[in-house]
Amino acid sequence: MGGGHGETISVTLRVWRQDGPDEPGRFDVHHQTISTDASFLEMLDLLNEELNAAGEEPVAFESDCREGICGTCGVMINGRAHGPQKATATCQLHMREFSDGDEIVIEPFRAAGFPVVRDLAVDRSPLDRIIEAGGYISVGTGAASDANLTPVPKVAADQAFDAAACIGCGACVAACPNSAAQLFTSAKIGHLGLLPQGQAERWSRTETMVETMEEYFGSCTNHGECSEACPKEISLDFIAFMNRDYIKAKVRNRALTGQH
Amino acid sequence: MSMDSDTAAGTGTSPRLDSKVPAGATADKWENHKFSMKLVNPNNKRKFDVIVVGTGLAGASAAASLGELGYRVKAFTFHDSPRRAHSIAAQGGINAAKNYPNDGDSVHRLFYDTVKGGDYRSREANVHRLAEVSVNIIDQATAQGVPFARDYGGLLDNRSFGGAQVSRTFYARGQTGQQLLIGAYSALMRQVAAGTVELHTRAELLDVVLKEDRACGIVTRDLLSGEVTPHSAHAVVLATGGYGNVYFLSTNAMMCNVTAAWRAHKKGAFFANPCYTQIHPTCIPVSDDFQSKLTLMSESLRNDGRIWVPNGMDDARAAADIPESDRDYYLERKYPAFGNLVPRDVASRNAKTVCDEGRGIGPLKNGVFLDFQAVIARDGVEAISAKYGNLFDMYHRITGENPYDQPMRIYPAIHYTMGGLWVDYHLMTTVPGLYSIGEANFSDHGANRLGASALMQGLADGYFVLPYTIGDDLAGLLGQTAVPTDDPVFTEAVRGVEDEQKRWLSINGTRSVDQFHKQLGRIVWEHIGMERDKAGLEQALTDIPTLREEFHSDVRVLGSAATLNQSLEKAGRVADFFELAELMARDALEREESCGGHFRSEHQTDEGEAQRDDENFAHVAAWEWHSEGTAQTRHREELSFEDVALSQRSYK
Ligand SMILES: Cc1cc2nc3c(=O)[nH]c(=O)nc-3n(C[C@H](O)[C@H](O)[C@H](O)COP(=O)(O)OP(=O)(O)OC[C@H]3O[C@@H](n4cnc5c(N)ncnc54)[C@H](O)[C@@H]3O)c2cc1C
Ligand code: SF4
Ligand code: FES
């Protein structure tokens, strides 16, 4: 590891380039000399400056907050979603995590549900489709009662928060050998299902969200790679919670409509 | 130079700026007005199309609420998902006058604090309404499942924030913005599923379209295919955020920009108080040339950290080697009553002063220490880590320095913009049918925003104000169909946007968009930053147009307009920043006083504090665009203070 101010390292980048969704891709090789204080994305900014100056199109990659909270960034770095540092989104990764002489392979998130749109940018909109299928509590504006009317046990609130911390980056899907979206989906189901406010729709929500997830993504075979890659360290326990609720939902939803 | 709209009298509100503030006592205005506004009956709502641009807190809450009411909503964001909006990054919390802690808070106190905090440059009626609906926001968000902090009894917890004397800030760990946005986003997605909202992602607004002086739609570019498309509606709402990135380096997300507001401005929407920008005192200092953005370290750190610099200039010793006798805890020294907790603007300016004196610390001498050694010695590492652990980790990840062992280095950075599109009490701009909500408008914060009040304002506008006020206007349009998108006003606007894309691609100069943006940012920071003066502002007014000309002749944008092309996207945004920057300088020059975030060094008290001039400047300055190369007209809306007495702020 680097560390300290102003150290400079030289790295070789193998960067995935792809002109469009239906175009073939290729790796381009670039050599970069870079301060270890630079963030990984600032290193790509510099690469893009050089490419632009040389008359080559810059590498498309996405980012926005660069603070690890919006979930816009995300690439595969040496085969790992968001790269080598645990609990760290790509934008929070700094070059001090690399050493002089390293070769760094940079690819887009690879998943059947996330088609590449260009270079390192992918389409993650299926995650929105899962939320649309029930990732909400149905309370219209103005229909809420006083916020302190229903106490929420602190442990439940804290656990719900652990799930709600998901930033929707999709690294879990990219890390999964089956491109499954179980961790993302279960984080939302866990967040709402653990709160008293979320009980009325708990079973219908679980059913519709899980089934929508299955339309777009692969199935879970318990590898656990998702949680390893997750920048928010969302726990695998939520997948267990979701699976239990899904089985129950099948029964309960029928019961609710009187079809015992 | 600029023309004042009513130079003859020198005072008085411009006839173009009718604030439509209802009559009556401040505290009753909103309640009475809600009753007097026209309603659209439920069956008729589905006959109206409403465009909402932006899906941050303001836009998502508005689109969801309008959809629930039955309007046909089209929501647009240039992000790949509504959940990515910049609102997601807000850390600290959201204010509301719930008075759950029973510590004396009330709607009136929140109203009073906000008007005073804004340095008496906001509209009382708007602020009062904001304080009134603040309580509903907490109820709404909680019902949506926003996991606000709770105490062991399961009830909601509050903290005091940004120097407030009551605990009225609700928070969700250090991720309040994220949780509130997920709440608003889920409400929005529920309406998308219900079919009341049509969602357009990766669609960037590049023009606002008017027919017969009324807003009738927008033109967007699909960021993946490059396709330029017209969209028509009975009303258009801009919820497109603030313009802090005009400084290049700011705490704003990388894509934040002024384009939507600016293009609306060029179509007739007045732009108010562009010089009111807010600096946040505790950010990680700039470390390198390649730096792409600045990171905020939560203000809460000032509750326990002590701010200091060495007594001597160019002291290169490590903090631990500098004895107490050589340290200057300058905030504690100058402001014994408030110490390290003075308001944002005061803390920021003092940091600049000591750095300008040559006493700055760090490799570039561009920071001050925020030191936790004393509190760690008093309370222990564990207690501090429980409170600030995630912030300390974030700092460590970014700087490679461990704040448990050595003080943090901090410096002020641009954080928020109070200026924006001028809106009346209904949140309508000077263009009929065009609204603006959230950070994009100028409304409730005056010259300075209080901590935890932006989230409140965005959600107030979106959930509880606009859904009412928009009906009053739409009711009058019953029976009128939206202008068809093959109308010449649309085809012309589409052509304009397409031509603009071609122009950027054809310049083929030598410098990248980012290089120009960086250079512009340096000028704006230098001259329209924390401290402004006449000479500097005049310098900016020559430097900005010069650089702007180079930009238009020497920028290099490669690739095509028919694919994802991030340089092309940025080119249009930076072009608008250039024009905005010039207006900021002009606005700052004309405002011959210091107030809130606008500090003119010519106007300060003997003690170096901001000196307002209420006699001549207790007004909103709203600028009217005419055409390329013509000076904009400065209009004024006089502000009157009936409930809050004007006074000089003092933190000694
Ligand atoms: C680091 C940080 C911390 C903060 N912490 C706090 C806090 O603790 N408490 C507080 O009250 N405030 C805080 N603020 C301020 C607050 O977060 C913002 O003012 C607020 O969230 C703005 O919300 P908004 O909905 O108006 O705009 P945004 O959230 O910026 O949303 C803008 C939306 O408009 C869209 N958009 C913009 N332009 C276009 C275009 N041309 N075409 C299509 N779509 C477009 C974007 O896609 C996005 O959806 C903080 C700000 C920062 C920078
Ligand atoms: S569960 Fe983790 S990895 Fe998956 S989307 Fe959420 S934050 Fe990203
Ligand atoms: S850019 Fe927002 S999480 Fe990385």
Side-chain angles (χ1 to χ4, degrees), chain B residues 304-536:
Chain B
D304 284 305
R306 297 181 72 195
I307 293 176
W308 63 278
V309 289
N311 278 329
M313 309 233 284
D314 301 320
D315 192 332
R317 288 176 289 178
D321 298 333
I322 303 179
E324 283 293 324
S325 57
D326 289 352
R327 298 178 177 196
D328 180 11
Y329 295 91
Y330 56 90
L331 290 178
E332 297 172 20
R333 171 171 59 79
K334 287 172 73 177
Y335 309 94
F338 279 72
N340 294 299
L341 292 175
V342 291
R344 290 176 174 179
D345 51 338
V346 179
S348 298
R349 254 192 339 272
N350 277 280
K352 175 171 164 39
T353 307
V354 295
C355 289
D356 288 351
E357 286 165 7
R359 299 197 286 150
I361 50 86
L364 302 178
K365 300 190 197 312
N366 62 349
V368 300
F369 287 128
L370 178 61
D371 197 333
F372 298 90
Q373 292 312 310
V375 70
I376 289 175
R378 192 184 71 211
D379 298 350
V381 168
E382 234 163 81
I384 292 308
S385 138
K387 251 183 175 166
Y388 305 119
N390 57 346
L391 291 169
F392 277 37
D393 291 347
M394 174 148 85
Y395 181 87
H396 194 172
R397 240 191 325 252
I398 293 172
T399 63
E401 296 169 1
N402 182 351
Y404 292 101
D405 301 337
Q406 62 189 108
M408 285 185 180
R409 294 177 293 114
I410 55 158
Y411 197 67
I414 281 291
H415 181 60
Y416 183 85
T417 52
M418 282 76 67
L421 292 175
W422 184 91
V423 289
D424 64 16
Y425 191 69
H426 281 187
L427 304 179
M428 200 198 277
T429 68
T430 49
V431 173
L434 180 67
Y435 296 78
S436 179
I437 59 177
E439 193 174 338
N441 75 22
F442 88 110
S443 67
D444 303 350
H445 308 294
N448 177 51
R449 173 177 72 76
L450 292 180
S453 285
L455 303 182
M456 171 174 72
Q457 181 228 330
L459 290 176
D461 288 358
Y463 284 133
F464 297 111
V465 180
L466 183 84
Y468 288 86
T469 58
I470 204 169
D472 189 62
D473 171 47
L474 289 175
L477 298 183
L478 198 62
Q480 294 184 24
T481 47
V483 178
T485 51
D486 56 8
D487 189 280
V489 290
F490 280 110
T491 39
E492 233 169 79
V494 167
R495 196 171 329 111
V497 168
E498 286 169 346
D499 288 348
E500 182 196 343
Q501 310 301 311
K502 284 186 207 134
R503 201 166 62 244
W504 295 125
L505 291 166
S506 70
I507 296 171
N508 207 11
T510 64
R511 281 179 278 168
S512 70
V513 179
D514 281 348
Q515 284 177 36
F516 279 105
H517 191 183
K518 241 182 232 194
Q519 235 178 315
L520 171 68
R522 270 191 219 116
I523 299 173
V524 183
W525 178 242
E526 172 85 15
H527 299 302
I528 328 171
M530 254 187 286
E531 203 170 314
R532 299 107 190 241
D533 62 31
K534 185 159 187 285

Side-chain angles (χ1 to χ4, degrees), chain A residues 166-172 183-184 187 226 229-232 234:
Chain A
C166 165
I167 60 174
C169 62
C172 46
L183 195 62
F184 168 83
C226 49
C230 174
K232 296 296 150 188
I234 304 287

Side-chain angles (χ1 to χ4, degrees), chain B residues 8-45:
Chain B
T11 56
T13 292
S14 155
R16 299 287 306 275
L17 297 176
D18 179 3
S19 67
K20 300 215 185 81
V21 170
T26 305
D28 304 330
K29 285 183 200 288
W30 179 234
E31 211 43 49
N32 292 342
H33 191 62
K34 274 196 287 187
F35 181 70
S36 68
M37 278 187 290
K38 281 176 267 173
L39 296 173
V40 180
N41 100 32
N43 289 327
N44 285 335
K45 289 204 176 84

